Amino acid sequence: MKDTPMSNCERDFILKAIEEKKRLDGRQTYDYRKIKITFGTDYGCCFVDLGQTRVMAQVSCELVVPKENRPNEGIMFFNLELFPSPLVYPLQSELSVKLNRQLERCLRNSKCIDTESLCVVSGEKVWQIRVDVHTLNNDGNLMDAASVAAIGALCHFRRPDVSIQGEEVTVVSQPGPTRRGFIVRCLHHSIFFFLTFLLVDPCEREERVMDGLLMIAMNKHREICSIQSSGGIMLLKEQASRLELADSSLDNYQKDLKAGGRCGFAESMPQERITALKTDQTAVEMTDVSETASSIVQTAVAPPQTVPSPSVPVPGVGQVGEGLRNTWGLEEEEEEEEDVEMDVVEILDSDEEEEEVVILYPETTKKPK
Amino acid sequence: MAGLELLSDQGYRLDGRKSTELRKVQARMGVFAQADGSAYLEQGNTKALAVVYGPHEMRGSRSRALHDRAVINCQYSMATFSTAERKRRPHGDRKSTEMSLHLKQTFEAAVMTQLFPRSQIDIYVKILQSDGGNYSVCVNAATLAVIDAGIPMRDYVCACTVGFVDETPLADLCYAEESGGVSSLALALLPRGGQIALVQMDARLHQDHLGTLIEAAMTACKCVSKVLDEVVRQHLQETSVLSRE
């Protein structure tokens, strides 16, 4: 299935708006979207929401034999998986390779992780840290979200204790709040440019229209860890001056990351609550559907307090939870009839606390298909 | 850092060069008769062979043809004997794919693809011996090959890898310098307009030094462009002399 090509008028509209320093979602040219970092209950699990872009990273470790030419250094392994998208196969794999390599270069070559501290027995046993990043939703700027998620996961991760008795190395405990082995320092920043206009943190629409991108990764010591430009031609002076932008955003990121790290447990609690939630069975009659629907539409503005009811924006797709305004699959103009609310939800209680069976009966919407 | 001193007190590098000196560049164009364009380029000990086919009709999926310009298809591979240890996977691994994408991006910026809608240009580059600066040598060799194929370009595309040691930028790194933990920056430039087609840097570098490093890279690229220009003119003289007979 091919990706829907972008229409010329949409492209022109976006370019014209950028010329006037306006962006699709009302941001300034150098504004970042709201970033939300949450940690899961497992150590080393991190979710990042950059606007609508969602990325998840998970860190795991195991003891392996080190490489021959580096006997006292641990091994880092990065992997990024793209959520299946309607992109045609060669483009998808190109994007995957690009993101993988950029992530690897940024985090590995910049030596933000101290690999020597991963050594257990020199020449025999070292820790191999594996970072798996999965992109869950692509709404532009996957690279930033992925790198923040990877670093967040690494910060959150705790490796198990080992005890060495002579030749034997035994893993003593499950991953617990023991001391962290690595020093993670690197943060990321991407700048995208259109002709002569520079934008920061584009959404997916803007990404399609852009001429090229410049990706700069910096750490808090004001050192540049990696620069990568792709697409387009750019002039020299522009580049150097943009680094100042990077600095200001760095501080924001640092704060977010630290805040996320401190309340790691607290952040993960709401997530558990949603999956374990039980609500009363709500039986909705099919007969007076239109009245119910119109009444819900009128009161649709107020966000739900406790339980967000699963919504069906498009038949066959379910969404649980609040987030930003969900425009997945729908144009932004159709705000009135959009968003669901015309669904029937029946949540069955099951014996196990973890599982929850949710049956959605999507209503026939008012919009003509 | 390792024991090797990358820059001595007198300003000499491991191979005796000064910090701004490039390695010796030797090149030949028109190496293969069957291909539309080909070139062989040596920069010090790094040897690369570039071959260009096109512009020709879109092969494979016609649906990927662009209606207003040509598609550039690049493939980068290293010979198994090019490195100190036998290379087990010459192409198809992530590094090679990334290099191919970079080459593609570089040449899409330089080649006038608007003149050949719905067609495809293939650029294949093979490294025969790798001694540092792989990307730059590939770009230089591919430029010559594209010129040999007669495909119009906006300007020469010249690339150079520079490193930063002891507050001094070193132009055109060799393998020992690259693997010595030096922060290296690869830059592809269109010299006449001073436009940068690609910039790539790994390893840590303080942001204050970035400006000097890029300046050094641009100067080095301009020197490379002079050499390439010389090569092209000489090749043209040789072939036109032969055809005049």
Side-chain angles (χ1 to χ4, degrees), chain B residues 56 65 75 84 126 128 134 138 150 170 174 223 236:
Chain B
H56 57 76
Q75 201 196 38
K126 199 164 192 78
L128 299 175
N134 285 350
C138 282
L170 303 179
C174 63
C223 298
L236 209 58

Side-chain angles (χ1 to χ4, degrees), chain B residues 187-207:
Chain B
L187 187 95
L189 184 77
L190 276 65
R192 248 169 277 202
Q195 291 161 322
I196 299 172
L198 181 135
V199 61
Q200 176 187 313
M201 193 191 78
D202 318 321
R204 289 206 301 254
L205 178 78
H206 199 272
Q207 77 174 66

Side-chain angles (χ1 to χ4, degrees), chain A residues 159-177:
Chain A
R159 63 171 177 175
D161 275 334
V162 289
S163 74
I164 305 170
Q165 292 144 352
E167 289 293 311
E168 266 189 35
V169 176
T170 45
V171 177
V172 163
S173 60
Q174 287 307 307

